[in-house]
Amino acid sequence: MKIKVNGQVLEVNEKTTYYDISKSFENGSRVPYLAKIGRDVRELRRSARDGEDIEFLYYDDQMARYAYVRTAILIMLKAIHDVYKDADAALKFKIQNSYYFEIKGRTIDQKSVELIIDAYDKVVKSESVIKKLEFTKNEASKILEENQMTDVKMLFEYVYKPTIKLRYVDDYVRYINGELLYHTGMVKYYKIRHYKKGLLLYVSTSNDESQVIEKDIGIKEFDTLNASTNWARKLEINTVGVLNSHIANDTFDDLVIMTESYQDKQIGDMAEEIKKSKKKLVFIAGPSSSGKTSFAHRLSYHLKAIDLKPYIVSSDNFFKNRVDTPKDENGYYDFESIKAMDTDLLNSTMQKLLDGEETEMPRFDFAEGIKEYKGDKIKLNENDVLILEGIHCLNPDLVPTIDQNDIFKIYISALTEVSIDNANRISTSDLRLIRRLIRDIHLRKINPKETLLRWKSVRNGEEKSIFPYQERADIFFNSALIYEFSVIKDKAIAKLYTIADDEEVGIIARRLIKILNFFLGVDSGAIPAHSILREFLGNSILEVM
């Protein structure tokens, strides 16, 4: 066969695998992990075809990094299995550049971690080829039952698939959602550490897989993620299969009421904390589509219920005039930068309010790109509180002369509580992207392709402007709802199908479709009008536009 690889024309035999071909395209420590043909990404275990134009993907490609991470997670679950044959191990969540695992009913100590590290190293050194075997649904169900993988078995009870593909590393079997590396020895760079009741698996987040840096774990972020996933586990709704069973058995409405009540209690407790603090300024920060606006309004009602008078102000009203807004390296206005904020005006306004002065608030006209004043005056009396929400609200440079101890700081994000199964998590950024997608379609008339194209820039802004400051918050709030993927599925999936596979963001669209297809869809009628989810679905009774 004649093929083209990275621009070179080669002749190879039929049934030659991409892995065999890739050996000639290693460059020192730079190793090919996947093959890309057009917009299609393939594992190296597959065979090349005559006439193909192949591009090998290395660790500096996002899809290759995903495959590396999935393989590292698979090896971890096998290593735990090799040490504790009966262990019900699960990947609970990602935090920083690490993945946190626990074993149900067992507290992992340092000695256990050392045994697991030894087992992990052995699996890597074995260079075991990762097989992908296809079974009928009945055959797969028996295999999963024999291996006590009820989470996977239940997942496929509610997904129409005549056949199911399972992964094997020697005699260990798992379902993995997505591409994997060719063999276990390709995961050369990792670190494993004992943490709390479980252990952390670190991989590189840079373009160089060898740069595995153990970033500090934010205690507040960890505690929030852990509490949320533990609550889901306590309800026994921590995986998609169990969630689908609630829909199939007509108990979904009960789940909605319980989940919304749980969030309401958290917000109510937060209002009490604010009152107890006697602070006049409440700053709320969080990444895109975390539900900051709805949360601010929900919080304001709880504050009113305990005899406080809140004023909600968006930090967007303190943008610099468009003519003074900085631009990024591509020449576009950089609205994610703190330099786009009129920090001098915001700082002086907050100080005047703290000093008891009546102060007029600006309004930013986004169409004209200028600030306006229309008589919106605020004076903070004894029981008054100002709520300011925006992406920079935890950055001390936003109000540099204000004593940070005078501010009650809240960080909000949508931290997914439900996993596909115990080996396959759903990224928190994917949840926020799908939220943003349906809001853009229905409320802002932005097409899904444009939303996906913008997402990388949004994420870069979050990495610079939001995440470095999240641990400064007094309180973390998780706005994710256990049930929400089931509701937003039908809103998003039809629009994602309009994006062709060969478009620039086609790979992202297919990945999101694959996630959504695991969920049974359900009507949004049961969702209350004050729910944070209504900020994205529409029909919210809160002022969220």
Side-chain angles (χ1 to χ4, degrees):
M1 300 188 304
K2 281 189 177 181
I3 59 172
K4 186 182 287 186
V5 184
N6 291 2
Q8 299 181 37
V9 177
L10 301 175
E11 286 191 2
V12 298
N13 294 325
E14 289 184 355
K15 297 185 180 180
T16 301
T17 65
Y18 297 122
Y19 176 73
D20 292 332
I21 299 166
S22 75
K23 302 303 290 180
S24 300
F25 291 86
E26 293 182 6
N27 184 8
S29 61
R30 189 169 158 80
V31 178
Y33 290 123
L34 294 174
K36 186 176 180 183
I37 295 85
R39 298 286 186 185
D40 189 21
V41 175
R42 299 176 188 171
E43 294 182 358
L44 297 185
R45 63 182 177 79
R46 295 174 62 175
S47 298
R49 298 173 186 173
D50 189 30
E52 284 184 337
D53 189 348
I54 302 164
E55 175 192 356
F56 283 120
L57 302 182
Y58 300 82
Y59 199 81
D60 56 2
D61 180 87
Q62 187 179 58
M63 298 299 292
R65 284 200 297 276
Y66 285 158
Y68 191 100
V69 167
R70 290 188 202 102
T71 308
I73 289 167
L74 174 61
I75 295 170
M76 175 63 82
L77 292 169
K78 173 173 168 50
I80 294 172
H81 172 78
D82 289 348
V83 175
Y84 304 106
K85 297 295 182 186
D86 62 341
D88 185 5
L91 166 63
K92 285 189 76 176
F93 49 80
K94 177 179 184 264
I95 182 166
Q96 295 291 341
N97 63 327
S98 67
Y99 297 82
Y100 181 69
F101 295 79
E102 281 187 353
I103 300 175
K104 186 177 180 180
R106 184 191 295 269
T107 298
I108 299 176
D109 56 19
Q110 185 58 41
K111 184 179 178 182
S112 301
V113 173
E114 289 170 4
L115 292 172
I116 292 167
I117 290 172
D118 287 342
Y120 197 105
D121 292 342
K122 285 178 183 175
V123 177
V124 171
K125 288 174 183 174
S126 72
E127 296 190 353
S128 297
V129 174
I130 301 170
K131 297 176 183 176
K132 188 175 188 179
L133 302 181
E134 189 169 11
F135 301 94
T136 66
K137 200 166 185 176
N138 286 337
E139 289 171 339
S141 183
K142 288 177 184 177
I143 293 168
L144 294 168
E145 193 168 339
E146 288 168 3
N147 287 274
Q148 299 179 329
M149 293 182 183
T150 55
D151 56 319
V152 187
K153 184 174 180 290
M154 184 170 280
L155 171 70
F156 287 107
E157 284 180 10
Y158 300 99
V159 176
Y160 175 72
K161 278 184 178 291
T163 62
I164 296 170
K165 295 171 183 176
L166 300 176
R167 302 292 189 151
Y168 279 82
V169 180
D170 302 326
D171 61 344
Y172 181 72
V173 59
R174 273 259 36 140
Y175 171 73
I176 298 294
N177 181 40
E179 294 82 10
L180 295 176
L181 307 187
Y182 182 74
H183 64 68
T184 58
M186 298 177 81
V187 179
K188 294 180 181 178
Y189 307 103
Y190 53 90
K191 291 182 181 179
I192 299 170
R193 294 290 180 265
H194 179 219
Y195 192 79
K196 303 283 187 178
K197 293 182 179 180
L199 49 89
L200 295 168
L201 169 67
Y202 289 87
V203 294
S204 172
T205 53
S206 73
N207 287 338
D208 182 352
E209 58 265 54
S210 67
Q211 300 302 307
V212 182
I213 300 169
E214 295 180 50
K215 295 181 180 178
D216 292 336
I217 300 300
I219 294 173
K220 293 171 186 174
E221 182 184 12
F222 179 90
D223 288 346
T224 304
L225 280 162
N226 206 36
S228 296
T229 51
N230 283 345
W231 185 69
R233 283 185 167 197
K234 188 176 180 180
L235 297 177
E236 297 183 338
I237 313 176
N238 59 308
T239 59
V240 174
V242 184
L243 176 60
N244 285 340
S245 72
H246 278 270
I247 298 171
N249 294 310
D250 295 324
T251 57
F252 182 76
D253 288 0
D254 293 338
L255 176 60
V256 171
I257 294 168
M258 182 171 53
T259 304
E260 294 288 347
S261 298
Y262 179 67
Q263 274 200 352
D264 230 30
K265 182 183 183 304
Q266 289 179 299
I267 299 171
D269 291 344
M270 212 175 298
E272 293 286 356
E273 288 291 318
I274 292 168
K275 184 174 183 178
K276 194 185 302 181
S277 75
K278 297 182 179 179
K279 294 179 180 180
K280 294 286 190 184
L281 302 180
V282 177
F283 282 15
I284 302 169
S288 173
S289 302
S290 54
K292 294 185 291 294
T293 306
S294 291
F295 171 77
H297 284 277
R298 288 271 293 271
L299 177 61
S300 74
Y301 285 110
H302 280 278
L303 291 170
K304 289 175 185 176
I306 54 175
D307 300 322
L308 295 179
K309 183 178 180 181
Y311 295 91
I312 299 175
V313 175
S314 171
S315 65
D316 287 357
N317 287 319
F318 289 87
F319 271 131
K320 288 179 179 176
N321 290 338
R322 189 70 39 82
V323 68
D324 299 319
T325 303
K327 295 184 178 181
D328 62 19
E329 63 275 11
N330 298 314
Y332 298 110
Y333 289 115
D334 188 0
F335 298 113
E336 311 294 327
S337 170
I338 195 169
K339 293 179 180 178
M341 305 298 298
D342 191 340
T343 54
D344 290 339
L345 176 62
L346 181 58
N347 199 88
S348 63
T349 301
M350 295 300 111
Q351 189 60 61
K352 287 175 183 176
L353 290 170
L354 287 174
D355 292 340
E357 297 180 30
E358 184 177 68
T359 309
E360 187 173 5
M361 296 290 116
R363 289 189 195 180
F364 194 82
D365 184 327
F366 284 90
E368 298 296 327
I370 56 172
K371 285 192 290 292
E372 298 177 330
Y373 290 88
K374 297 191 175 182
D376 301 321
K377 295 181 179 180
I378 295 176
K379 182 179 181 181
L380 297 182
N381 296 310
E382 183 179 353
N383 290 328
D384 296 348
V385 175
L386 182 129
I387 299 173
L388 184 77
E389 59 98 355
I391 64 172
H392 299 291
C393 280
L394 295 186
N395 186 338
D397 291 336
L398 187 68
V399 283
T401 67
I402 303 291
D403 188 339
Q404 291 294 302
N405 292 321
D406 288 335
I407 305 170
F408 193 96
K409 297 179 282 293
I410 300 170
Y411 179 79
I412 175 174
S413 190
L415 308 170
T416 47
E417 301 153 314
V418 176
S419 297
I420 294 172
D421 59 33
N422 288 336
N424 299 279
R425 58 178 290 277
I426 302 172
S427 162
T428 60
S429 63
D430 280 345
L431 171 56
R432 292 189 292 107
L433 174 54
I434 295 170
R435 279 182 170 188
R436 182 174 174 129
L437 183 88
I438 59 175
R439 181 182 62 190
D440 283 355
I441 292 167
H442 298 293
L443 303 179
R444 299 181 179 179
K445 309 304 179 187
I446 299 172
N447 70 63
K449 180 180 176 182
E450 186 65 27
T451 299
L452 298 187
L453 285 169
R454 290 181 184 180
W455 189 242
K456 184 177 181 180
S457 174
V458 171
R459 295 280 290 128
N460 289 340
E462 293 169 351
E463 293 288 345
K464 294 175 186 175
S465 304
I466 301 172
F467 300 144
Y469 306 104
Q470 62 185 31
E471 284 293 313
R472 296 176 59 85
D474 297 298
I475 290 181
F476 268 52
F477 177 76
N478 183 9
S479 70
L481 296 147
I482 284 177
Y483 67 77
E484 72 176 276
F485 274 105
S486 303
V487 177
I488 62 181
K489 172 185 177 175
D490 292 340
K491 300 283 186 182
I493 203 164
K495 300 299 182 181
L496 287 167
Y497 273 122
T498 66
I499 299 173
D501 288 351
D502 60 355
E503 291 193 65
E504 184 180 347
V505 291
I507 290 174
I508 301 173
R510 289 202 305 274
R511 177 168 56 79
L512 296 179
I513 289 168
K514 195 172 182 181
I515 292 170
L516 290 167
N517 272 330
F518 284 115
F519 292 85
L520 291 180
V522 67
D523 184 76
S524 62
I527 313 308
H530 71 286
S531 172
I532 285 175
L533 193 54
R534 285 287 173 196
E535 181 174 331
F536 308 96
L537 291 172
N539 297 322
S540 174
I541 60 171
L542 307 174
E543 298 175 29
V544 295
M545 290 299 290

